[in-house]
Amino acid sequence: MAHWMNLGQQLKMNARKYPQTVALCDARRRFTYPEVNRRVNRLAHRLMQMGLKKGDKLAVLMENSIEIIEFYLATAKTGIVIVPVNFRLVGREVAYIVDNADAKAMAVHHEFTPCVDAIKPQLKQIPPENYIVVDQAKAGYQEYESLLDEAPDSEPDAAVAPSDTWILIYTSGTTGKPKGVLRSHESHIAFFLINAVDFGFDQRDVCMNVMPLCHINSTFFTFTFTYIGATVYIHPARSFRPEEILEIVEREKITFISLIPTHYNLILNVSDEARQRDIHSIKKLLCSSAPVRKTMKTAIMEFFPGVELYEGYGSTEAGIVTVLRPEDQMRKLGSIGLESLGTERIKILDAEGKEVAPCEVGELYSKGPMLFDAYYKLPEKTAAAFKDGWFSAGDMAQMDEDGFYQIVDRKDNMIITGGEHVYPSEVEETIGSHPDVFDVAAISLPDDKWGEKVAAVVVPMQGSDLTEAIIFDWCRDRIAGYKRPKQVIFIQPDQMPRTATGKILHRILREEYAEGEPVFPETDSCPAPEK
């Protein structure tokens, strides 16, 4: 793949090919491809003038913005490795990632400078002059726009190979301390091209980015459109108001959005007035990063008439592994689809490493051109994640007689009660189908008799009268007795711990509720819809 240009190199070509096309825009700014390319070149020169060279790490602690995309593009042009940091993390978590990554510079939005100021003494590898602030000036930081004003806009003189590392991105930590995932330029190029073919994207598309740009989902899907010369509209990840999203779709003629089930749940409960928006520009939707209930898929397709709905399964390490295409949505409800273009046939293996028969549950292993290179400074964990070159993210799955795959659950989330294996996704599917349930997570809690018991953490619809007895009664004739929850815990939407992309952190729930009164990390506050 050595002949394919990386994203930074392709940006230069797009500036020549599409001089009038808006490359990046938000609520107040619009930049064409030539304008973005000039800004990125200036940033690239300034980063190199700060002493950063090929292979050095640049940490970015930023909300979704044009500027964070420019940092991604500038590192692609220079061979510098970008380290996106989740802006929802607290100081000690940020310090761990930045220090573990060996970052030599850091860029932050102004609102996150108090966090960074508090941990600067721990970041001994970053010189005092190598902190950059975006949005407004602050002492102790170089101001972003001033940096650009002082730099040339010529193409930087840097030799970047496809096999070089572009992104060091840390896992969301659903099963423990985050691990740094090294991803090359060529693994992303493969995704951009495969994605464009698999989903049928072209230069006329307008992508709306809502997912946080510190996560692999956004870097994959957002930059696919930059690579092919289309338009990207950038929306803050922490400001998901469904009525506003629909207004932007209408105004900007958005053609594609990647969202998670939580987002769709909020959209499906908007007011009648908001439903009158003209959203017919939407051609394709993706639902990913968390399981999608069957009833929700049907509701999405009813809300967006004529839309092509896709579901993708993948991971930070493997990229996108399977795609459930629009024509299969109704006949294969609950499935994650078939292998994405370029992915070898998936293997479902038992504990002994042998392939299981169709419809039997095993651990999912995949291999393809989007695979990561290694976990940073963790050779043992890298080796443990592979089996003869096949990678597993720890998900339990099964394949049906037609070759379609279904995720049963994460191996680490499996509940073993009285010797019986219970997959939380099945319990969540059952409880989540109750009309008064907004969200639910099934977890294991210690039990003197059975070792573990099934517990349900439920977010009720606003104004509902849900009780534990109602949940028990709902489950009675729908799932086997050993799968039914023995305890129901009711919480508010902002108390459900999630990763940056909406995956529920079952581990946090297990730890907190096993020990007593829960103390949750910072999460998005998503109000439950009216009943």
Side-chain angles (χ1 to χ4, degrees):
M1 187 173 281
H3 58 288
W4 290 109
M5 293 189 295
N6 73 29
L7 184 61
Q9 296 158 344
Q10 187 63 49
L11 174 64
K12 174 185 174 182
M13 287 296 297
N14 288 348
R16 181 181 66 81
K17 292 166 61 179
Y18 310 118
Q20 303 302 319
T21 299
V22 173
L24 302 176
C25 56
D26 60 17
R28 57 190 177 88
R29 297 173 295 176
R30 311 181 86 81
F31 293 128
T32 64
Y33 271 97
E35 290 171 331
V36 171
N37 192 55
R38 286 192 292 271
R39 285 172 60 85
V40 168
N41 286 345
R42 291 170 186 152
L43 176 58
H45 282 289
R46 292 299 285 137
L47 293 176
M48 292 189 294
Q49 290 168 13
M50 291 169 66
L52 297 180
K53 59 185 183 301
K54 180 178 175 179
D56 286 343
K57 315 297 192 307
L58 165 71
V60 291
L61 180 64
M62 300 175 66
E63 240 280 23
N64 287 358
S65 60
I66 287 174
E67 289 82 2
I68 190 173
I69 287 185
E70 290 172 340
F71 275 108
Y72 274 106
L73 294 167
T75 55
K77 286 197 178 219
T78 57
I80 296 167
V81 178
I82 190 167
V83 185
V85 182
N86 186 348
F87 52 74
R88 294 186 177 93
L89 300 181
V90 297
R92 63 177 179 81
E93 295 168 317
V94 173
Y96 170 80
I97 290 175
V98 177
D99 182 64
N100 182 262
D102 303 311
K104 294 186 177 179
M106 189 171 187
V108 301
H109 266 120
H110 186 272
E111 63 181 300
F112 304 128
T113 54
C115 169
V116 175
D117 288 339
I119 63 174
K120 274 186 177 182
Q122 302 171 55
L123 309 179
K124 301 186 184 302
Q125 299 185 68
I126 302 181
E129 65 274 14
N130 277 13
Y131 288 90
I132 302 170
V133 66
V134 175
D135 275 349
Q136 63 186 85
K138 181 173 180 178
Y141 296 80
Q142 298 200 54
E143 197 274 322
Y144 184 77
E145 291 295 336
S146 296
L147 284 178
L148 300 192
D149 290 342
E150 300 167 4
D153 59 12
S154 58
E155 293 292 329
D157 183 14
V160 184
S163 59
D164 290 339
T165 300
W166 176 31
I167 296 176
L168 171 53
I169 188 166
Y170 281 72
T171 61
S172 53
T174 55
T175 58
K177 186 170 285 189
K179 299 185 291 291
V181 177
L182 291 165
R183 298 197 57 92
S184 67
H185 289 276
E186 62 187 351
S187 71
H188 286 86
I189 298 166
F191 180 86
F192 302 151
L193 298 174
I194 290 169
N195 195 26
V197 173
D198 247 351
F199 289 78
F201 298 137
D202 62 37
Q203 190 264 336
R204 297 166 294 179
D205 276 305
V206 182
C207 165
M208 181 177 183
N209 178 70
V210 175
M211 304 285 279
L213 279 158
C214 56
H215 188 268
I216 201 70
N217 180 293
S218 277
T219 63
F220 274 165
F221 283 94
T222 299
F223 291 124
T224 292
F225 294 89
T226 306
Y227 197 86
I228 65 175
T231 299
V232 175
Y233 182 93
I234 303 151
H235 188 73
R238 293 177 301 168
S239 178
F240 191 89
R241 293 184 291 272
E243 291 82 3
E244 180 185 18
I245 297 298
L246 296 177
E247 186 273 327
I248 294 171
V249 169
E250 180 181 55
R251 184 185 75 234
E252 300 290 337
K253 300 296 184 286
I254 304 296
T255 64
F256 171 81
I257 316 178
S258 171
L259 298 172
I260 61 173
T262 303
H263 292 147
Y264 285 111
N265 209 353
L266 292 168
I267 288 174
L268 294 173
N269 286 278
V270 296
S271 65
D272 290 339
E273 181 182 356
R275 288 172 178 267
Q276 302 307 310
R277 291 284 184 188
D278 181 1
I279 55 175
H280 289 88
S281 62
I282 289 283
K283 298 183 179 71
K284 299 176 176 69
L285 289 172
L286 176 69
C287 198
S288 64
S289 297
V292 191
R293 298 192 192 111
K294 299 173 184 178
T295 52
M296 180 179 289
K297 286 187 180 182
T298 304
I300 292 170
M301 288 185 281
E302 291 175 352
F303 190 95
F304 295 92
V307 76
E308 294 180 3
L309 178 63
Y310 293 79
E311 185 176 4
Y313 162 77
S315 65
T316 302
E317 296 91 336
I320 189 165
V321 176
T322 66
V323 176
L324 183 65
R325 300 186 61 81
E327 59 268 25
D328 298 318
Q329 288 292 339
M330 297 310 294
R331 73 184 190 93
K332 290 293 181 181
L333 284 168
S335 170
I336 57 170
L338 300 170
E339 292 89 345
S340 65
L341 186 66
T343 297
E344 294 190 35
R345 187 181 69 82
I346 288 169
K347 291 184 178 182
I348 308 292
L349 306 180
D350 62 19
E352 285 73 44
K354 298 178 181 178
E355 287 199 59
V356 303
C359 300
E360 290 186 7
V361 176
E363 191 168 351
L364 187 151
Y365 285 81
S366 66
K367 183 194 289 186
M370 293 175 271
L371 266 179
F372 76 123
D373 293 323
Y375 290 119
Y376 189 52
K377 299 191 288 192
L378 295 171
E380 299 85 2
K381 288 189 180 294
T382 301
F386 286 88
K387 204 180 285 287
D388 298 325
W390 297 75
F391 170 78
S392 170
D395 290 318
M396 305 301 289
Q398 60 187 15
M399 181 185 73
D400 69 15
E401 297 289 352
D402 298 324
F404 283 73
Y405 300 94
Q406 181 175 5
I407 295 297
V408 177
D409 222 311
R410 279 200 65 86
K411 182 168 63 175
D412 300 291
N413 288 339
M414 185 188 295
I415 303 166
I416 304 176
T417 177
E420 296 283 1
H421 289 193
V422 178
Y423 296 103
S425 58
E426 184 178 2
V427 181
E428 292 164 359
E429 179 77 36
T430 301
I431 297 175
S433 63
H434 191 287
D436 285 339
V437 172
F438 178 67
D439 210 351
V440 58
I443 61 172
S444 64
L445 291 181
D447 186 84
D448 293 337
K449 182 177 181 180
W450 303 110
E452 293 180 344
K453 66 180 178 181
V454 180
V457 182
V458 174
V459 177
M461 287 284 190
Q462 186 176 348
S464 71
D465 298 318
L466 267 185
T467 64
E468 186 176 66
I470 291 174
I471 296 296
F472 287 165
D473 186 61
W474 181 261
C475 294
R476 186 166 291 113
D477 297 324
R478 289 177 168 84
I479 49 175
Y482 70 90
K483 300 178 182 178
R484 297 175 203 154
K486 304 301 186 288
Q487 179 182 355
V488 180
I489 303 161
F490 293 101
I491 64 173
Q492 294 301 308
D494 61 351
Q495 291 180 299
M496 186 69 85
R498 299 180 182 277
T499 68
T501 55
K503 293 180 183 177
I504 293 174
L505 288 162
H506 291 73
R507 172 179 56 84
I508 297 295
L509 291 171
R510 286 195 302 269
E511 292 172 356
E512 299 297 346
Y513 281 112
E515 297 174 359
E517 188 67 22
V519 179
F520 294 96
E522 183 182 353
T523 60
D524 271 347
S525 178
C526 295
E530 294 291 343
K531 187 178 172 185

